[in-house]
Structure formats: C-alpha cells, structure tokens
Amino acid sequence: MALQNDYQDVLDVAKSVGAKIETREENGKLVIKGAVDHAFDRDRMWDQIKAKHPKWNDEVMVMLTVTHAEPYGVYTVKSGDTLSKLARDIYGDMKLYTKIFEANKDQLKDPDHIKVGQVLKLPPKTIANKA
C-alpha cells in the first residue's frame, strides 16, 4: 500500500482522464493495469509519473490499453483556453495550433473563436509534429 500512497497523484490523473485501472503491489513495484480511451490520456499519466517520481523506473509498471486509435485525444475547452495555448501544452509548440484547428473544422470556423465546453479532437503527435 505504500507505493499506492506514493503514486496517489498518478492514480488521481488516471481517475480524471476516466481510465479504467486496477492497481496492486507486486515484487516491490506498483502495477497499474487497465485501459484508457485515448493515447493522450495514457500520456498524461506517464507525464505525471515521470515528472514527480525520479525512481519510477524501479517502482512502477504500467500496462495500459488504448481503446481508440483516433483521435490522439479529446479536450474540453476551459475558460482562458486558446488553440495556441493547447498546442503549446500538448505538443510543445504553440505554432501547431493550426493542426488542432484543421482537425476540428467540422465545428470551428475561426481558430480565434473557441467556446468553453466545446470538445475538440486532438490530432496525433506524429501528425502535429509534421509542421
């Protein structure tokens, strides 16, 4: 149970992204096994692990199945969001906002006009990074 307590922040991220997981401690490691809807959800869990836990490689084993191959993920717009802010946060480059816009042309007419509550599709990192 000690490792579950140490990695509670990761389990909280898992809950926030809707991951369906089981956890157990086995041979000195925390085993996290289950499924997430999108690769973006899986990556957010890994980002949390790597950012906060320097000994993660010795302490945790993650086995997650990604349910949907496309899109890379979905994001619900919050107050203060812009496509360039999302591109910076997700892809590391705010200029890639055009890739998010292109993936959502079915609901966006102008990249400068997104609405709180709108659910945007996120293109795969491999496509987004081919700027």
Side-chain angles (χ1 to χ4, degrees):
M1 291 302 278
L3 285 174
Q4 286 194 18
N5 291 336
D6 291 347
Y7 284 83
Q8 187 58 51
D9 59 316
V10 175
L11 302 178
D12 291 343
V13 170
K15 183 177 180 180
S16 75
V17 301
K20 296 160 190 73
I21 61 167
E22 297 175 3
T23 60
R24 68 181 185 281
E25 291 188 29
E26 181 178 296
N27 299 323
K29 286 195 175 202
L30 176 63
V31 178
I32 302 171
K33 185 177 180 180
V36 293
D37 286 338
H38 302 282
F40 179 53
D41 304 324
R42 175 203 59 212
D43 292 352
R44 289 192 283 177
M45 289 177 64
W46 273 113
D47 290 346
Q48 184 69 26
I49 290 169
K50 292 176 181 178
K52 302 281 181 165
H53 304 279
K55 296 189 290 182
W56 70 267
N57 204 28
D58 297 325
E59 297 178 336
V60 69
M61 180 188 314
V62 179
M63 297 173 284
L64 292 172
T65 302
V66 175
T67 307
H68 303 293
E70 294 287 332
Y72 170 63
V74 294
Y75 179 83
T76 303
V77 176
K78 298 180 188 89
S79 179
D81 282 340
T82 64
L83 292 185
S84 58
K85 178 184 177 298
L86 294 178
R88 183 193 67 223
D89 293 348
I90 295 166
Y91 305 112
D93 184 348
M94 64 191 313
K95 291 182 247 166
L96 294 176
Y97 78 91
T98 57
K99 301 298 183 181
I100 300 172
F101 177 67
E102 291 295 322
N104 290 282
K105 277 196 160 182
D106 59 328
Q107 61 177 322
L108 298 176
K109 303 301 176 220
D110 182 332
D112 294 324
H113 292 95
I114 60 175
K115 298 176 187 159
V116 172
Q118 219 167 7
V119 178
L120 302 176
K121 296 178 288 291
L122 302 173
K125 280 189 173 187
T126 54
I127 291 172
N129 289 327
K130 293 179 185 175

